[in-house]
Amino acid sequence: MTLELPIYMDNNATTQMDPRVLDAMLPYFTKVYGNAASRTHRYGWEAEAAVEDAREVLAQFLGAESGKEIVFTSGATESNNLALKGAAEYYKSKGNHIITTVIEHKAVLDSCKRLEKEGFEVTYLPVDPQGRVNPEDVRAAITDKTILVSVMLANNEVGTIQPIKEIGKITREKGVLFHVDAVQGVGKTPFNVQEMNVDLASVTAHKIYGPKGVGLLYVRRKRPRVRLAAQMDGGGHERGNRSGTLNVSSIVGFARAAEIMMAEGAEENIRLISLRERLHRSISERLEEVVLNGHPEHRLSGNLNLSFSFVEGEGLMMAIKDVAVSSGSACTSASLEPSYVLRSMGLDDELAHSSIRFGLGRFNTEEEVDFVADLMVDKVQRLRDMSPLFEMYKSGIDLKSIEWAGH
Ligand SMILES: *Cc1c(COP(=O)(O)O)cnc(C)c1O
């Protein structure tokens, strides 16, 4: 079999839609095309029934008590905005302090920046060199002004999984709301809003083999009841939390994607871990000075983030055009700034620039992994052969001890 190039290994950025999801969606474009808010005819009722079924499936996916706790959105960027700004606005008479981490997705960080401009105070917790937050840092940061803590389930760049259950215990004990950006981890690592005391959770369909442009925000209804100030005004859809005609076909696809995850996720993760380990082993057995970024165990099944010392990031990306990967995050790769996630884990700029994120997913094969491993070894060796720094390193010169001219 010949491989189709470039090989897609960017599943932390988005996933190919599962054909079974497309099958589930198709009738909702041309047959059941009613507006789910239309109460006067069958077209509307059928669309509404499909949405309500999807709500129940997605509630089950998250361990929520009820489909009433699901607010549909256009994706996790909107969900994160609604969670942070909506809670901040609603609870501002209780306090003006929010706690988050330095490695969150930009949708969380930039929402926090906006809130800071409006007078809120935000604490950005650090992470350890593997990208993990210490729950005790969360506890120590909570004051009587704190209204919300926001920590992601798993990081999109390095795949590190956070101690959500431990943090949820603390926020519940302190009576502070807990939001989790669960986009990368849900279906891939245990996540349950009841067991983990999560009050708000963001999810998007396109990272779990569903369609792009649909997401949800879980909003707890009991113990405690969470309230939000709507950020979108209009027809009062989604119990007043998010106005706008529902994207019925995509919502149906989102639920189908979650169903498949619930049925097959556990097995799929075992397969992805084995593919990931095969890729890692095959590269690091043949190349020296390859650094794993992120946590060796608390890590998403499909994520492998490696830094290749003595090669220059841009040159490397040009050399490996036959594989679709990211250097740093997809959201920041347009700029030449080294990834803020890698930097906050203590990586120097050189290593951050030479990092590659391999995101393995449902449709990757062993054959593709072997091809990519060979490609990486070949290209990195070639680039290093041209690198004077690598030559110095090979001849035993301690590069850190050198006084560079101009520095
Ligand atoms: C992709 C992603 C988002 C944004 O989701 P969209 O649906 O693309 O807006 C938010 N958080 C994390 C961790 C992500 O990986």
Side-chain angles (χ1 to χ4, degrees):
M1 211 185 89
T2 54
L3 294 171
E4 192 183 326
L5 300 179
I7 290 166
Y8 190 73
M9 279 195 189
D10 206 8
N11 284 281
N12 298 105
T14 194
T15 54
Q16 179 195 324
M17 205 163 75
D18 192 301
R20 292 171 288 180
V21 171
L22 178 62
D23 285 344
M25 289 171 68
L26 283 174
Y28 293 89
F29 290 102
T30 52
K31 292 192 180 77
V32 189
Y33 51 79
N35 186 323
S38 294
R39 294 283 154 77
T40 49
H41 49 70
R42 190 170 60 87
Y43 297 91
W45 301 330
E46 284 179 5
E48 190 192 12
V51 168
E52 294 315 305
D53 286 350
R55 256 187 237 289
E56 293 306 320
V57 170
L58 289 160
Q60 196 196 337
F61 186 45
L62 302 180
E65 271 188 19
S66 151
K68 294 188 177 78
E69 299 177 306
I70 304 297
V71 173
F72 287 114
T73 65
S74 62
T77 296
E78 185 187 342
S79 302
N80 285 342
N81 272 265
L82 177 58
L84 283 132
K85 295 173 185 170
E89 189 179 332
Y90 192 88
Y91 292 102
K92 64 174 178 247
S93 60
K94 281 184 76 179
N96 70 339
H97 181 227
I98 292 167
I99 298 168
T100 187
T101 81
V102 291
I103 54 149
E104 297 301 306
H105 191 270
K106 284 287 182 190
V108 166
L109 293 177
D110 288 352
S111 291
C112 285
K113 280 199 195 118
R114 174 74 68 107
L115 289 167
E116 281 181 297
K117 281 195 192 119
E118 290 169 9
F120 286 87
E121 279 178 28
V122 182
T123 300
Y124 299 90
L125 297 176
V127 293
D128 70 16
Q130 281 79 43
R132 281 199 120 203
V133 177
N134 183 347
E136 288 311 311
D137 288 351
V138 176
R139 186 193 298 280
I142 294 175
T143 71
D144 55 2
K145 291 273 190 294
T146 310
I147 50 175
L148 180 71
V149 171
S150 179
V151 179
M152 70 201 322
L153 175 57
N155 182 265
N156 42 302
E157 288 188 41
V158 293
T160 301
I161 297 167
Q162 300 298 340
I164 296 301
K165 191 170 182 181
E166 288 80 351
I167 296 169
K169 215 176 256 171
I170 294 166
T171 49
R172 184 60 84 243
E173 188 187 304
K174 299 270 189 183
V176 173
L177 293 181
F178 185 25
H179 167 250
V180 175
D181 176 344
V183 167
Q184 291 284 341
V186 69
K188 298 158 194 173
T189 180
F191 182 67
N192 184 300
V193 293
Q194 292 302 336
E195 283 169 20
M196 298 181 174
N197 287 309
V198 172
D199 301 309
L200 294 155
S202 305
V203 181
T204 192
H206 76 96
K207 307 263 170 96
I208 56 166
Y209 313 96
K212 292 168 186 54
V214 65
L216 66 80
L217 182 65
Y218 160 78
V219 184
R220 179 182 287 277
R221 294 211 346 141
K222 284 189 199 148
R223 297 178 310 273
R225 170 152 194 221
V226 179
R227 307 291 296 276
L228 299 172
Q231 302 298 301
M232 188 85 84
D233 297 310
H237 306 72
E238 300 299 271
R239 294 166 204 282
N241 285 308
R242 198 274 190 182
S243 289
T245 299
L246 290 178
N247 183 350
V248 178
S249 55
S250 287
I251 287 168
V252 167
F254 192 2
R256 184 72 188 108
E259 259 175 8
I260 294 169
M261 269 296 187
M262 284 189 276
E264 300 173 8
E267 233 175 287
E268 180 163 281
N269 283 328
I270 293 170
R271 193 183 79 88
L272 287 177
I273 288 172
S274 113
L275 283 184
R276 180 189 79 197
E277 292 309 306
R278 186 183 179 95
L279 181 61
H280 191 192
R281 215 181 317 115
S282 181
I283 291 173
S284 55
E285 274 172 5
R286 290 182 282 168
L287 286 178
E288 56 195 315
E289 296 297 311
V290 176
V291 181
L292 175 70
N293 299 313
H295 201 284
E297 284 113 44
H298 297 293
R299 177 176 208 102
L300 286 176
S301 49
N303 176 289
L304 183 67
N305 189 312
L306 299 176
S307 285
F308 297 87
S309 309
F310 308 110
V311 300
E312 187 256 325
E314 259 189 295
L316 181 58
M317 284 304 280
M318 303 260 273
I320 57 167
K321 283 208 156 61
D322 282 345
V323 55
V325 288
S326 283
S327 64
S329 165
C331 308
T332 52
S333 59
S335 71
L336 280 175
E337 280 287 292
S339 143
Y340 66 92
V341 173
L342 294 174
R343 261 180 140 168
S344 56
M345 289 161 53
L347 256 76
D348 63 35
D349 283 7
E350 237 72 55
L351 272 185
H353 271 307
S354 74
S355 93
I356 301 286
R357 177 185 70 182
F358 302 91
L360 295 158
R362 182 171 295 167
F363 304 105
N364 286 120
T365 63
E366 218 167 72
E367 199 187 0
E368 290 178 332
V369 163
D370 292 345
F371 177 91
V372 170
D374 290 348
L375 177 78
M376 294 308 301
V377 171
D378 178 49
K379 299 299 181 187
V380 171
Q381 268 167 354
R382 276 170 203 260
L383 289 167
R384 282 180 176 174
D385 284 346
M386 301 186 296
S387 156
L389 285 180
F390 188 63
E391 204 173 308
M392 289 163 83
Y393 161 77
K394 290 297 277 184
S395 57
I397 298 169
D398 180 5
L399 294 169
K400 295 223 159 56
S401 70
I402 295 174
E403 300 269 342
W404 300 99
H407 276 246

